[in-house]
Amino acid sequence: MKKILIVEDDKEINRLICDYLSDNAFATLSAENGLDAVRMIRDENDLSLVILDLMLPFQSGDNVLKKVREFSDIPIIIVSAKSMVQSKIDAIRMGADDYITKPFDLDELLVRIEAVLRRYGNNAVNDGRTSLTYKKLVIDRSNSSATVSGEHLSLTVKEYAILELMLLNPKKLFSKSNLFESVWNEPYFNDDTTIKVHMSNIRSKLKKLDPDEEYIETVWGMGYKLFD
C-alpha cells in the first residue's frame, strides 16, 4: 500500500483528503505546518508522494519544497489557493511534479496522484538497456537515477522522464507536443510554459555539475534535441 503525506493546515481539508485517499486504498499521514512536513519527509522512508499546500504556518510550502529537493526526489503535488500562472511556474521551477488550484475535485486529485505515481514507477521503457550515457551524463535505469561526472543529479520525476526519453532517442528532434504527450501522458494544449520551465530546470542542473558542456539544444520554432 502506497503512503501519502498530506501537508495542509486546514484541519477539515486535511481530514477530507486523508479520508478520501484511505477509501481509495492509500495509507496516509498528515502534517499541519511546514516544519513538521520537512521532518516527516526526511524521517519517513516509505513515503510514495506528498500533497503540499503553499500557505502553511512556521514554514511556507515554497520553503518546504526547496528544502525537500535538497535531499529527496519524492513526487510532490502542490494543492494551493494561489491560482496565478506565476505561482505554478515558480513551483515547477522549484521541483513540484504537479499543481492543482483550490477549490479542487477529489476525483481529479486522485487521477493526478495516480498519474504521477505511474510516471514515477514506470519511467523506463523496457528495451533491455539498463543505463544510458551522453557526454558526462549517465542514467541508471535500474533505479531511475542520474549522475554527471560521477556526481548525483537531482531530478524530479518529469525531469528524469524527459532526459531518459531524449537519451533513448539521441538523434531525434522533439517538438513540445512530443515531449508533453510522451512524458505527461496527456493531450498537449499548447502548454509552452510547462515544457520551457522543465527544460530550464534540467539545463540549470546539468550546468551546475558540468559548466563547460551543453546538453540540450533549442531548435527555434521546432523543439528540442541533444547537442550533436
Side-chain angles (χ1 to χ4, degrees):
M1 181 180 290
K2 294 187 180 299
K3 185 185 294 184
I4 297 176
L5 173 65
I6 295 90
V7 188
E8 167 63 63
D9 65 323
D10 185 308
K11 296 183 187 301
E12 183 61 25
I13 294 176
N14 198 318
R15 182 194 60 77
L16 188 67
I17 296 174
C18 284
D19 289 348
Y20 180 80
L21 293 180
S22 295
D23 289 342
N24 283 275
F26 289 101
T28 62
L29 291 175
S30 64
E32 295 178 0
N33 66 72
L35 292 177
D36 284 346
V38 174
R39 176 184 56 78
M40 293 173 73
I41 294 169
R42 194 186 295 275
D43 294 346
E44 296 284 338
N45 56 18
D46 60 345
L47 285 176
S48 297
L49 182 140
V50 177
I51 295 171
L52 177 65
D53 187 20
L54 292 181
M55 301 175 70
L56 296 169
F58 304 146
Q59 191 166 110
S60 71
D62 304 82
N63 285 330
V64 170
L65 183 56
K66 288 178 185 177
K67 287 196 172 182
V68 169
R69 283 293 173 250
E70 292 174 0
F71 64 86
S72 175
D73 298 329
I74 187 171
I76 297 177
I77 297 177
I78 301 296
V79 177
S80 175
K82 294 183 178 181
S83 58
M84 293 185 300
V85 173
Q86 190 60 47
S87 295
K88 179 179 180 181
I89 291 173
D90 291 343
I92 293 172
R93 284 191 189 281
M94 288 186 288
D97 293 280
D98 206 343
Y99 192 108
I100 303 176
T101 302
K102 295 179 180 178
F104 58 91
D105 183 89
L106 286 169
D107 289 336
E108 180 187 359
L109 176 62
L110 179 62
V111 169
R112 300 285 190 99
I113 290 170
E114 290 172 341
V116 170
L117 289 176
R118 187 165 57 248
R119 288 193 296 269
Y120 190 77
N122 298 295
N123 280 326
V125 177
N126 186 15
D127 68 349
R129 284 182 282 174
T130 58
S131 67
L132 303 168
T133 302
Y134 171 65
K135 297 185 177 180
K136 298 177 184 176
L137 169 64
V138 178
I139 286 180
D140 184 344
R141 303 174 76 200
S142 66
N143 58 14
S144 299
S145 66
T147 59
V148 176
S149 301
E151 295 187 57
H152 175 66
L153 177 64
S154 178
L155 298 168
T156 67
V157 174
K158 293 192 186 75
E159 290 166 0
Y160 175 90
I162 289 170
L163 277 179
E164 182 191 43
L165 182 64
M166 296 186 79
L167 265 65
L168 282 167
N169 304 275
K171 300 299 183 182
K172 181 177 175 62
L173 171 61
F174 289 92
S175 68
K176 292 172 184 174
S177 61
N178 286 157
L179 285 171
F180 190 91
E181 291 176 1
S182 297
V183 173
W184 275 258
N185 295 313
E186 298 173 9
Y188 177 74
F189 295 110
N190 201 31
D191 187 2
D192 286 358
T193 300
T194 299
I195 295 295
K196 286 180 179 177
V197 170
H198 280 79
M199 282 300 185
S200 176
N201 285 350
I202 292 169
R203 282 173 166 148
S204 295
K205 292 178 179 181
L206 289 168
K207 181 66 70 176
K208 185 176 181 180
L209 295 180
D210 189 7
D212 299 325
E213 190 62 85
E214 296 291 342
Y215 285 80
I216 299 174
E217 178 182 1
T218 299
V219 181
W220 189 85
M222 299 182 70
Y224 302 93
K225 64 187 290 290
L226 297 178
F227 269 98
D228 293 329

